[in-house]
Amino acid sequence: MPLLDPKTLPHEFPRSFVPKAANLGEWAEVEPLFNELQTRAVTSKADLEKWLKDLGELEDVLDEEGSLRYVRMTCKTDDPEIEKAFLEFLEKISEPAKPKSFALLKKYWDCPFRSELSEKDYSLFNRSVENQLALYREKNIPLETELEKLSQQYQKLNGALTVHYDGREQTLQQMGRYLESTDRKVREESWSLTAQRRLQEKNAFEDLFDQMIKLRVQAAKNAGFDNYRDYMFRRKERFDYGPKDCEAFHESAEKTIKPLVVKFLNRRAEKMRLSVLKPWDLSVDQDGLPPLRPFEKTEKLVSGCENILRQVDPQFGNIFNQMNKLGLLDLESRVGKAPGGYNTTLSETRLPFIFMNSVGLDHDVRTLLHESGHAMHGFISRAIPFSSYRHSPMEFCEVASMSMELMADPYLNEFYSDPKEAARSTIRHLEDVITLLPWIATIDAFQHWIYTHPDHNREERSAHWVHLRNRFGGAVDWTGLEEIQASLWHRQLHIFEVPFYYIEYGIAQLGALQVWKNFRQDKKEGVRLYKQGLAVGGSQTLPDIFQSAGIRFDFSLKMIEPLMVEVEKEIERLEKIS
Ligand SMILES: [Zn+2]
């Protein structure tokens, strides 16, 4: 797989301010552009609008350069040159650019012509700028760079973990396929080996995290906050909901969703004729059928997903096809690749890139459909001229991706010619959707606790984690595996790399289930509304974006219960086919 190179990509949004030949890895070439914006005379409303456009362009160009270096590093974590290029960009460009950007925001805020800009077009941008100005502290910049480096260490630590099993060295992602084995012994062995391998790094994970907490707590203090949670709610521009709403979500997860999950698990135990479910019994087919093998070769994964997307909406198929032709997909698992999957949008070319670690599982199909939803979002909102309005809040970004997974379910015959297999895959998907919600509550509640109890020690942290697992989990027997259970959060990269970025998935899943409901009622109208939501980017408030997509921004019990009923009914219908 050749490394991503922007020279091979079409540039449909040409630069008008940053010189085409500028070397973006050299501060000496980047700094004058910031200085020009800082000193430029702005003497009219038109000047100010041109100035904002140029600022947006500079930020997009630098953001793309950073993304390219990040993409290359995650595709090849074992190449020291590529790693160096990424780290150097953080230190030499991103870090010194931050105070420059901040000074420019201040210049904008103080500009007398700002009041002449239309309130309708700029009020959201102004709300964001005002918030950024209020939170900005110069002394937090080195702390943030330090945190990014620690995140990168976490990735490296994870990416290097391998075990020897089945006659060969395997990444922990590759070990995932053994959990679908119908041989319980194979599942237990492979699960234990993987868990033990992580446990060997327990202290490294804990050390990293302790360093992270310390830096984060300091950053919040520097910005004048009592705790990092409240600071992060402001940082993440959660203007439309707060910690209390998250607690309400936790409550619903415990009271309404957990009982449904327990029902799934009990049915599983019964079908598998097990008196207790162990953690390695959760991925295998509960009817004892061999694991689904949707594809062997990556080409099949790509063509199958393209066909599915095309059936949801022809435009989606076309976009995906174009991405493949442009080399914007890196899908296969390899040693030396960072874990997980993501979609990132390159800000200048405004093209999406999908990264994942596929090994031939049903889950891989779902991941690619998920990331494709993000990619469609980026693509459909790419023409929005004002760069700040091109990106939706995360809570809606995940609606884009999760809805795509749900809308794709009726077309899984692209991978499974047997309708029973397609039904099995969909049942599994819907169960996963529901099962994830209490896990989201666990991860979110854990972080609320960590950052409102910053003086905790490691033992208290583990104990609280286990307490939350009992509150939101249950029905799985961890006897004899207590040490592993207490460290289970080490594998949740969000806790390390993107703190508090997780409840978004829960809020979004509730949005996606509503999109799914619309789609099932009337496919054409459902897709139209979905695309309408994608097209507004970040030009509206969160509740308004939801409304544009034909859904409600609401995660109350009243909203959740009927969605759960719909899912349960659909599973019952599919059970009859499978
Ligand atoms: Zn996503």
Side-chain angles (χ1 to χ4, degrees), residues 122-138:
Y122 289 91
S123 68
L124 283 186
F125 179 63
N126 286 339
R127 181 173 78 169
S128 168
V129 172
E130 189 174 22
N131 188 54
Q132 288 177 59
L133 294 180
L135 296 184
Y136 183 86
R137 297 293 181 277
E138 188 142 3

Side-chain angles (χ1 to χ4, degrees), residues 341 343 370-371 374 397-398 401-402 501 505:
N343 169 83
H370 176 99
E371 301 308 338
H374 287 308
C397 288
E398 294 301 328
S401 52
M402 292 170 164
Y501 174 44
Y505 290 98

Side-chain angles (χ1 to χ4, degrees), residues 295 301 356-368:
F295 63 95
L301 172 64
M356 62 179 277
N357 284 278
S358 82
V359 291
L361 300 177
D362 183 58
H363 173 78
D364 295 328
V365 172
R366 206 79 61 195
T367 301
L368 184 52

Side-chain angles (χ1 to χ4, degrees), residues 2 11 15 83 93 116 141 178 199 207 263 311 314 332 343 377 390 416 427 436 445 453 479 527 532 541:
H11 283 71
R15 297 179 189 175
E83 182 185 351
I93 310 293
E116 291 181 23
I141 294 171
Y178 296 104
L199 209 53
D207 286 346
K263 221 164 159 180
Q311 288 173 85
E332 254 167 8
N343 169 83
H377 195 189
R390 227 174 285 135
Y416 306 113
I427 291 170
L436 185 62
H453 300 77
T479 313
V527 172
Q532 183 172 282
T541 65

Side-chain angles (χ1 to χ4, degrees), residues 460-476:
E460 289 164 332
R461 185 157 71 213
S462 291
H464 193 73
W465 169 258
V466 173
H467 158 76
L468 291 172
R469 283 313 295 143
N470 293 333
R471 178 180 170 199
F472 296 110
V476 175

Side-chain angles (χ1 to χ4, degrees), residues 75-135:
C75 292
K76 228 172 166 335
T77 51
D78 50 4
D79 184 328
E81 281 303 308
I82 292 176
E83 182 185 351
K84 198 173 139 222
F86 174 74
L87 292 175
E88 272 187 7
F89 190 79
L90 282 187
E91 264 173 46
K92 290 191 184 165
I93 310 293
S94 299
E95 188 170 324
K98 281 178 193 164
K100 296 274 181 188
S101 287
F102 178 71
L104 292 175
L105 284 186
K106 246 170 124 175
K107 172 169 171 160
Y108 165 74
W109 196 249
D110 297 336
C111 177
F113 301 99
R114 184 170 64 85
S115 58
E116 291 181 23
L117 297 176
S118 111
E119 166 71 17
K120 185 180 136 295
D121 292 338
Y122 289 91
S123 68
L124 283 186
F125 179 63
N126 286 339
R127 181 173 78 169
S128 168
V129 172
E130 189 174 22
N131 188 54
Q132 288 177 59
L133 294 180
L135 296 184

Side-chain angles (χ1 to χ4, degrees), residues 15 33 57 71-72 171 210 212 238 243 249 299 526 578:
R15 297 179 189 175
L33 298 166
E57 181 184 310
V71 165
R72 290 184 197 126
T171 63
D210 280 338
M212 285 174 155
R238 290 178 176 173
F249 179 90
E299 293 81 54
S578 73

